[in-house]
Amino acid sequence: MKTVVSPAKTMIENTDCYIGSSVPTYIDKSKILLEEIRQRSYEELKEIWKCNEKIAKENFDRFKNMNLQGSLTPAIFSYQGIQYQYMAVNVMEATAIEYIKENLYILSGFFGILRAFDGVSPYRLEMQAKMGIGDCKNLYEFWGDKLYKEVRDESGIIINLASKEYYKCIDKYLT
């Protein structure tokens, strides 16, 4: 049994307290996206992100300076949305930490799918972003069935706590 959640729009970088202990499964595909994003102009990205000047500038700079190989914050600590605050990972017992390491997956437009302690760098790229990548017309097509295959286990049970926008990349492959 696996549980999927959506990412949060707000992220922090905190490598002073925690360092990501694993690498995202599809980091090579994230590198392709990073190069694609770096080739886009500020105005194009602002339109893709559908955000204000401050957020666009912050994220434009984030992608320009992003290092996917460095000391990265574990995803579970990087996202700052309300569901992550209520998880209260900082006060979880060791057994609960081990459980989320094995069973919690975060769906992501940029990383595809993340385990709780995969190291990430702050970014903004929502799954429904209108962005073509190579022959793919959008991120759903870019990720294809990879995210479903990664989260599916022998039980076949997936607990969906993700938004429709993100769960759509899993739901269409359910049998």
Side-chain angles (χ1 to χ4, degrees):
M1 176 175 69
K2 303 296 180 185
T3 301
V4 295
V5 297
S6 301
K9 286 184 181 181
T10 307
M11 295 181 76
I12 62 164
E13 187 171 46
N14 181 356
T15 55
D16 293 337
C17 299
Y18 309 100
I19 300 292
S21 60
S22 54
V23 175
T25 303
Y26 298 114
I27 194 69
D28 290 338
K29 288 192 70 81
S30 298
K31 289 175 183 177
I32 292 167
L33 283 174
L34 179 58
E35 288 310 309
E36 182 72 33
I37 289 166
R38 285 180 172 165
Q39 291 176 20
R40 308 265 176 138
S41 71
Y42 171 80
E43 290 302 322
E44 285 177 292
L45 291 171
K46 185 177 174 203
E47 179 61 28
I48 288 168
W49 293 325
K50 306 248 185 264
C51 62
N52 64 36
E53 289 290 332
K54 180 183 176 207
I55 293 170
K57 173 82 171 98
E58 176 184 50
N59 285 286
F60 185 79
D61 291 341
R62 280 178 171 172
F63 279 110
K64 184 172 67 172
N65 300 310
M66 188 178 282
N67 176 4
L68 296 174
Q69 308 299 325
S71 298
L72 304 170
T73 306
I76 198 75
F77 294 109
S78 185
Y79 294 110
Q80 296 297 293
I82 197 159
Q83 70 182 341
Y84 294 93
Q85 293 170 24
Y86 283 138
M87 280 188 230
V89 179
N90 286 327
V91 295
M92 279 186 180
E93 293 181 6
T95 54
I97 294 286
E98 287 306 312
Y99 183 83
I100 66 169
K101 278 183 177 179
E102 294 296 319
N103 298 294
L104 180 70
Y105 288 86
I106 303 164
L107 301 171
S108 164
F110 184 67
F111 290 102
I113 195 159
L114 295 163
R115 292 164 302 213
F117 288 85
D118 284 352
V120 298
S121 184
Y123 68 94
R124 183 178 183 117
L125 188 62
E126 296 176 25
M127 192 64 79
Q128 65 187 4
K130 304 251 188 283
M131 179 176 140
I133 305 101
D135 293 338
C136 302
K137 64 181 178 187
N138 57 40
L139 290 169
Y140 294 110
E141 199 173 291
F142 178 76
W143 291 112
D145 66 353
K146 287 177 174 39
L147 311 185
Y148 167 73
K149 286 179 178 178
E150 184 64 22
V151 78
R152 180 132 177 12
D153 67 8
E154 64 281 346
S155 76
I157 299 170
I158 300 171
I159 298 172
N160 174 30
L161 300 177
S163 66
K164 285 182 183 178
E165 169 191 353
Y166 284 91
Y167 194 64
K168 187 171 150 181
C169 60
I170 302 278
D171 187 43
K172 69 189 269 181
Y173 299 102
L174 291 175
T175 55

